[in-house]
């Protein structure tokens, strides 16, 4: 059997990527059923030809995909899309299958590229390279949150153990149990406001415990810190602490802090009590792309000051619009990260000498040894759009969210969430998500389902303050404000009208 060169497959991939997407954001039930029935129930002994495998994948499996990344009207989760440059580069990554693990400057350029892309990303996010060009690419914000809490755990426990005069100080070296026991500590706590579920998961994975993630929010605003409560918890002598800032809460898109001043207060408190600050900025960190346009001043303030943190999570496969999976992690303390993640001296994995900047081996600053070249699609997309291109993309996303909220606020059938009196305030604080529910409870309990059944757009069903709600998350590079606002408003109008007709006793003529 003749095997085609990877270069030929690369050309095929590029052709596949350019096939027009069928309409609709969800697959039909027939397509799903056909795809399920096409999967063999056991491994065949004899392999099929490449052509027939390609045909099977394209004709049977692909039609049962959703339009999550491809349709501009898929507003579920926060999926982002894939820019043409990123798509191209991702195919190159597959075709050439580089392993970005050890910095071997004479063997491949890949570790250099990854390191420099971290610098470009820092530029995009207006983070000073001299402190922030440290970190790594991950599988997503969940992985980055695990890295952030792992570094925070190491830092805070080292400090706490030293304060207690203990000589066993490193979790990486001695393990969590011995450090805690020797220092007479009962554990590590994570202090946050409405953290993303993945941050709680990270606490579970790291032996901190989900129950030790505490909300220290103020009574009148569940998203923001109550500084007194925060200090009271930081002052506990039986716990080491990490403060986790929700830079973009996933339902509302709003921020846990609103400017430099709050970050300075949190920084001072954390310095005083030797706690670590981790920012979960999966999507919120991109607020830093914006310039000084007053239209977006509130959003810009939400991500202001996070350069005072110790570590920052960001997602590539969301607002950066590169393919799954891609996240990034910045850490201001490279030596500490190496302490946590060092790959205990396998001699064959040591890096070669280099004349250029000292580029760390990625295997010592993250979870994996062997790794995909995730930085290349980021590189290609950043070069292709530049700061202005990414700012334009984000502005369109924000304007679409605000146009939709504007309509919902005045609409008889729907309620904009969080409930506020002033439309100006609501629009001012809107980033790229729209949270809402139907006024009638009976419609509301099925609202997401009814919207998604139209297959013209897709929203996430969620819950807000104990009742069902819908969330529109706008993250695709293809956003067109007029076109997409008209579609969303039309779908919501139709769903509300159908509902009114179905509850009406009088026959409609
Ligand atoms: C999406 C999201 C995550 C999880 O990201 P993954 O990329 O799915 O792992 C974490 N935090 C926030 C705020 C998010 O929006």
């Amino acid at each position: 059997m003749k095997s085609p060169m990877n270069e030929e497959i690369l050309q095929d991939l590029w052709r596949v990527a350019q096939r027009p997407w069928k309409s609709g954001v969800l697959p039909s039930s027939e397509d799903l059923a056909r795809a399920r029935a096409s999967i063999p129930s056991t491994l065949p002994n004899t392999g099929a030809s490449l052509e027939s495998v390609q045909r099977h994948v394209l004709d049977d499996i692909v039609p049962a995909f959703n339009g999550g990344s491809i349709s501009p009207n898929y507003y579920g989760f926060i999926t982002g899309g894939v820019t043409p440059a990123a798509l191209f580069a991702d195919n190159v990554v597959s075709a050439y299958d580089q392993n970005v693990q050890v910095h071997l400057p004479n063997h491949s350029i890949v570790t250099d590229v990854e390191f420099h892309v971290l610098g470009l990303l820092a530029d995009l996010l207006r983070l000073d390279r001299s402190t922030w060009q440290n970190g790594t690419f991950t599988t997503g914000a969940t992985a980055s949150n695990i890295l952030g809490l792992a570094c925070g755990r190491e830092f805070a426990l080292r400090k706490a153990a030293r304060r207690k005069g203990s000589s066993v100080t490193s979790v990486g070296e001695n393990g969590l149990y011995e450090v805690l026991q020797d220092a007479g500590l009962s554990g590590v706590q994570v202090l946050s406001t409405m953290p993303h579920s993945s941050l709680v998961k990270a606490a579970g994975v790291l032996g901190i415990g989900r129950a030790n993630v505490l909300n220290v929010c103020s009574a009148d605003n569940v998203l923001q810190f109550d500084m007194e409560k925060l200090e009271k918890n930081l002052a506990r002598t039986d716990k080491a602490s990490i403060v986790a800032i929700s830079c973009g809460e996933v339902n509302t898109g709003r921020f846990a802090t609103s400017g430099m001043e709050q970050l300075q207060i949190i920084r001072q408190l954390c310095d005083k009590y030797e706690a670590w600050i981790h920012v979960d900025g999966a999507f919120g960190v991109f607020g830093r792309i914006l310039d000084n346009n007053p239209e977006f001043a509130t959003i810009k303030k939400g991500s202001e000051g996070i350069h005072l943190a110790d570590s920052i999570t960001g997602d590539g496969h969301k607002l950066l619009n590169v393919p799954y999976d891609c996240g990034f992690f910045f850490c201001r303390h490279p030596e500490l990260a190496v302490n946590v993640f060092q790959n205990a001296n396998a001699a064959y994995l040591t890096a070669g000498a280099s004349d250029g900047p000292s580029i760390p081996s990625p295997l010592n600053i993250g979870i994996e040894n062997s790794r995909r070249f995730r930085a290349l699609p980021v590189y290609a997309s950043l070069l292709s759009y530049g700061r202005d291109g990414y700012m334009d993309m984000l502005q369109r996303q924000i304007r679409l969210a605000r146009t939709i909220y504007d309509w919902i606020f005045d609409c008889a059938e729907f309620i904009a969430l969080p409930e506020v009196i002033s439309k100006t305030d609501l629009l001012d604080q809107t980033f790229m998500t729209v949270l809402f529910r139907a006024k009638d409870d009976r419609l509301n309990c099925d609202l997401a389902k009814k919207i998604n059944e139209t297959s013209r757009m897709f929203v996430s069903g969620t819950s807000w303050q104990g009742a069902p709600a819908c969330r529109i998350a706008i993250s695709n590079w293809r956003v067109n404000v007029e076109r997409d606002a008209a579609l969303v408003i039309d779908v919501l109008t139709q769903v509300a009208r159908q509902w009114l007709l179905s509850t009406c006793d009088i026959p409609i003529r």
Side-chain angles (χ1 to χ4, degrees), residues 102-112 351-356:
V102 182
H103 179 54
L104 296 166
N106 300 324
H107 296 196
S108 175
I109 194 70
V110 292
T111 42
D112 290 67
S354 150
D355 303 332

Side-chain angles (χ1 to χ4, degrees), residues 180-505:
L180 289 174
Q181 201 185 34
D182 214 58
L185 293 164
S186 70
V188 180
Q189 58 181 356
V190 180
L191 307 171
S192 189
T193 64
M194 293 196 81
H196 188 267
S197 53
S198 64
L199 195 99
V200 185
K201 178 182 188 161
V205 170
L206 290 165
I208 292 171
R210 292 183 290 270
N212 290 311
V213 181
L214 308 179
N215 259 300
V216 286
C217 57
S218 68
D220 56 348
N221 185 343
V222 290
L223 289 165
Q224 299 220 327
F225 285 97
D226 177 326
M227 297 298 177
E228 264 175 49
K229 251 192 235 170
L230 179 62
E231 173 150 25
K232 223 173 109 201
N233 278 283
L234 285 170
R236 286 180 64 163
T237 53
D238 58 333
K239 300 269 188 199
S241 302
I242 300 168
V243 173
I245 298 178
S246 308
C247 181
E249 188 278 322
V250 76
N251 274 311
T252 58
R254 295 193 184 185
F255 298 87
T257 55
S258 48
M260 195 57 190
E261 214 174 291
Q262 274 168 309
L263 257 298
Q264 280 164 338
I265 296 172
I266 296 172
R267 180 74 267 171
Q268 277 160 14
L269 287 174
C270 288
D271 285 345
K272 180 170 169 193
Y273 296 102
E274 298 186 307
W276 179 273
I277 305 178
H278 174 69
V279 171
D280 180 0
F283 62 91
V285 72
F286 291 92
R288 297 176 66 87
I289 300 176
L290 297 163
D291 61 13
N292 291 327
N293 183 344
E295 187 183 346
F296 307 111
T298 306
I299 302 308
K300 196 149 186 233
K301 275 183 161 303
S303 55
E304 210 171 78
I306 61 170
H307 62 280
L308 298 177
D310 298 292
S311 58
I312 300 174
T313 282
D315 240 329
H317 49 228
K318 290 179 179 168
L319 297 193
L320 204 58
N321 277 260
V322 301
Y324 290 110
D325 41 20
C326 180
F328 51 91
F329 174 68
F330 287 115
C331 178
R332 232 166 17 101
H333 311 264
E335 356 48 67
L336 188 98
V338 171
N339 250 306
V340 178
F341 295 108
Q342 74 165 286
N343 197 66
N345 300 336
Y348 69 101
L349 293 176
T350 46
S354 150
D355 303 332
S358 84
I359 293 176
S361 283
L363 87 161
N364 287 324
I365 42 171
I367 294 168
E368 300 91 357
N369 277 4
S370 301
R371 293 166 71 248
R372 185 176 173 82
F373 191 12
R374 290 194 188 87
L376 194 69
V378 175
Y379 181 57
S381 202
L382 285 175
L383 292 188
S384 163
Y385 285 82
R387 182 193 298 288
D388 290 348
Y390 269 104
M391 184 159 73
D392 167 68
M393 196 186 293
L394 185 62
Q395 289 180 344
R396 279 184 280 127
Q397 290 162 349
I398 299 172
R399 288 190 179 123
L400 175 59
R402 290 178 177 183
T403 309
I404 297 169
Y405 253 141
D406 191 352
W407 180 82
I408 288 176
F409 191 88
D410 295 329
C411 178
E413 278 78 31
F414 300 107
I415 307 172
L417 300 171
E419 277 187 84
V420 284
I421 317 278
S422 150
K423 181 154 94 177
T424 317
D425 278 356
L426 176 72
L427 299 188
D428 194 49
Q429 298 203 36
T430 298
F431 191 22
M432 25 53 72
T433 62
V434 178
L435 188 68
F436 66 102
R437 69 164 62 105
K439 282 188 186 155
D440 190 308
D441 286 342
R442 291 165 302 169
L443 170 57
N444 194 45
C445 62
D446 278 341
L447 185 58
K449 186 162 162 266
K450 283 183 166 29
I451 292 170
N452 295 340
E453 275 168 2
T454 69
S455 203
R456 295 173 65 202
M457 64 187 247
F458 185 94
V459 301
S460 282
T462 182
S463 98
W464 181 253
Q465 297 188 326
C470 289
R471 191 195 59 171
I472 291 174
I474 300 160
S475 55
N476 199 289
W477 64 281
R478 294 177 200 254
V479 165
N480 174 305
V481 178
E482 285 77 39
R483 178 197 66 195
D484 297 336
L487 182 140
V488 170
I489 290 168
D490 189 52
V491 168
L492 294 182
T493 307
Q494 296 294 339
V495 166
R497 186 174 298 154
Q498 289 291 328
W499 162 255
L500 283 175
L501 289 179
S502 73
T503 56
C504 188
D505 296 336

